[in-house]
C-alpha cells in the first residue's frame, strides 16, 4: 500500500510575513492527519530556513524547488544540494515544466537528481506533456521519453509527479480518467525497466488540483497524491486537499 503524499509548491510567491501565516495555518490543521498522509512544502530558496524553523515539532517536511547539478564552485545563482540538506530540506522538486520551459533538459534533470540523492535529498521528478503534444496524440510518448532519462538512476525514495503542462495554473484539470491512464502508463514503464520499484513508487498528479477535485483524483488506483501549486498558497484549500488524501 503506497502512502499518500501531498506537496505544496509555492513557486515564486510569498514574503516572510505571508509565509509565516501560511505555515501556521497549515501546521495547525495538518498534524491530525499526519499519520495517514505525508505532507511537504516547497518555499522559495530565501524562506527555506524560516519555514524549517516554523515547522519544528510538525511532521511536515521541507522541499526546495530545484537544485544545481554541481556540487560546489563558481556557479553564480545556483544552489547546491548539500546546502539544501544543510538548511533542513528532505526533498527537492526537479524538472518542473516551468524550469523545462526555461531550458532544462532531460539530461540535466537526471544529473540534478544524482546530485540531490548524493546529499540524501529525495527527488520529486516532474514529467508532463504540452497541450499541442496531447492534441497530436503524443502525450504518452513525450512522458515516456522524459522518464527514460530518469529511470536508470531511480531509487525507491524518489517520487514521480505527472503534471500535464496544459493543466498547470490554468484551472483546467486532467479528468480522473486521463490522469489515471497516464499514471498507469508511467507505472507500466517502471514495471518494464525497474520492476523492483514499480509497485512501491509514488506517482503524484499535479495541475489545478483544488479542494473540489482532489478526492476523485486521489481515489484513482495509480494516483498517490498531488503536487499542488495555486491552491497550496491558501492554508484552508491546502488543508482540504491534504484531508482528501486520507485513505
Ligand atoms: P497548479 O500548479 O496547482 O497551480 O496548477 C501545479 C504545479 O505547477 O506544480
Amino acid at each position: 500500500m503506497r502512502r499518500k503524499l501531498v506537496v505544496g509548491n509555492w513557486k515564486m510567491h510569498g514574503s516572510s510575513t505571508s509565509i509565516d501565516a501560511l505555515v501556521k495555518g497549515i501546521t495547525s490543521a495538518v498534524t491530525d492527519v499526519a499519520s495517514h498522509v505525508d505532507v511537504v512544502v516547497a518555499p522559495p530558496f530565501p524562506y527555506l530556513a524560516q519555514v524549517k524553523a516554523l515547522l519544528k515539532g510538525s511532521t511536515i517536511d521541507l522541499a526546495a524547488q530545484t537544485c544545481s547539478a554541481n556540487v560546489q564552485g563558481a556557479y553564480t545563482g545556483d544552489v547546491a544540494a548539500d546546502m539544501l540538506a544543510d538548511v533542513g530540506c528532505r526533498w527537492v522538486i526537479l524538472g518542473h515544466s516551468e524550469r523545462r520551459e526555461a531550458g532544462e533538459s532531460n539530461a540535466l534533470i537526471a544529473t540534478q537528481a544524482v546530485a540531490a540523492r548524493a546529499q540524501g535529498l529525495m527527488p520529486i521528478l516532474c514529467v508532463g506533456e504540452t497541450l499541442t503534444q496531447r492534441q497530436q496524440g503524443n502525450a504518452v510518448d513525450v512522458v515516456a521519453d522524459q522518464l527514460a532519462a530518469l529511470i536508470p538512476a531511480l531509487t525507491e525514495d524518489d517520487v514521480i509527479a505527472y503534471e500535464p503542462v496544459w493543466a498547470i495554473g490554468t484551472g483546467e484539470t486532467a479528468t480522473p480518467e486521463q490522469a489515471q491512464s497516464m499514471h498507469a502508463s508511467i507505472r507500466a514503464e517502471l514495471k518494464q525497466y525497474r520492476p523492483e520499484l514499480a509497485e512501491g513508487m509514488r506517482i503524484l498528479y499535479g495541475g489545478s488540483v483544488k479542494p473540489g477535485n482532489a478526492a476523485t483524483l486521489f481515489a484513482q488506483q495509480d494516483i498517490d497524491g498531488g503536487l499542488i501549486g495555486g491552491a497550496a498558497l491558501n492554508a484552508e484549500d491546502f488543508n482540504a486537499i491534504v484531508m482528501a488524501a486520507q485513505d
Side-chain angles (χ1 to χ4, degrees):
M1 182 81 180
R2 295 178 296 268
R3 211 175 133 83
K4 290 276 195 301
L5 169 64
V6 176
V7 182
N9 172 15
W10 297 349
K11 308 193 179 185
M12 200 172 71
H13 292 289
S15 64
S16 29
T17 311
S18 70
I19 281 175
D20 188 79
L22 180 55
V23 177
K24 285 177 180 155
I26 294 170
T27 44
S28 53
V30 159
T31 312
D32 295 342
V33 294
S35 51
H36 304 278
V37 185
D38 291 333
V39 181
V40 174
V41 291
F45 288 136
Y47 303 112
L48 286 170
Q50 177 190 344
V51 174
K52 181 67 189 172
L54 288 165
L55 290 178
K56 199 160 187 262
S58 123
T59 54
I60 302 173
D61 270 338
L62 191 64
Q65 298 175 15
T66 185
C67 75
S68 176
N70 297 299
V71 175
Q72 65 159 32
Y75 301 102
T76 303
D78 272 11
V79 176
D82 75 331
M83 298 170 182
L84 299 176
D86 190 30
V87 296
C89 291
R90 287 194 70 213
W91 298 87
V92 59
I93 299 171
L94 294 174
H96 190 281
S97 67
E98 287 151 16
R99 300 202 60 83
R100 289 179 184 268
E101 271 164 39
E104 291 192 0
S105 65
N106 288 334
L108 176 69
I109 295 156
T111 318
Q112 290 167 328
V114 170
R117 290 185 199 106
Q119 299 303 328
L121 296 176
M122 299 182 280
I124 299 163
L125 299 156
C126 305
V127 294
E129 81 287 357
T130 63
L131 184 58
T132 315
Q133 289 164 334
R134 176 162 284 264
Q135 284 167 340
Q136 290 171 344
N138 295 331
V140 170
D141 288 346
V142 167
V143 169
D145 274 357
Q146 292 170 338
L147 272 179
L150 302 169
I151 276 181
L154 280 183
T155 68
E156 61 184 3
D157 291 330
D158 292 13
V159 166
I160 292 169
Y162 167 58
E163 299 205 301
V165 179
W166 47 272
I168 295 177
T170 58
E172 193 177 337
T173 321
T175 63
E177 295 74 24
Q178 281 173 322
Q180 165 55 28
S181 154
M182 185 63 86
H183 282 232
S185 39
I186 292 172
R187 207 173 300 283
E189 196 168 346
L190 290 172
K191 270 191 191 126
Q192 190 175 350
Y193 297 105
R194 299 295 303 276
E196 76 286 10
L197 298 179
E199 274 315 311
M201 181 143 295
R202 291 186 283 190
I203 308 175
L204 310 184
Y205 169 79
S208 297
V209 178
K210 308 278 178 231
N213 59 25
T216 335
L217 285 160
F218 298 164
Q220 305 302 308
Q221 192 185 342
D222 289 294
I223 300 186
D224 307 310
L227 180 51
I228 321 298
L233 295 169
N234 177 298
E236 208 176 302
D237 287 354
F238 187 70
N239 294 340
I241 293 169
V242 172
M243 299 297 166
Q246 272 190 284
D247 290 319

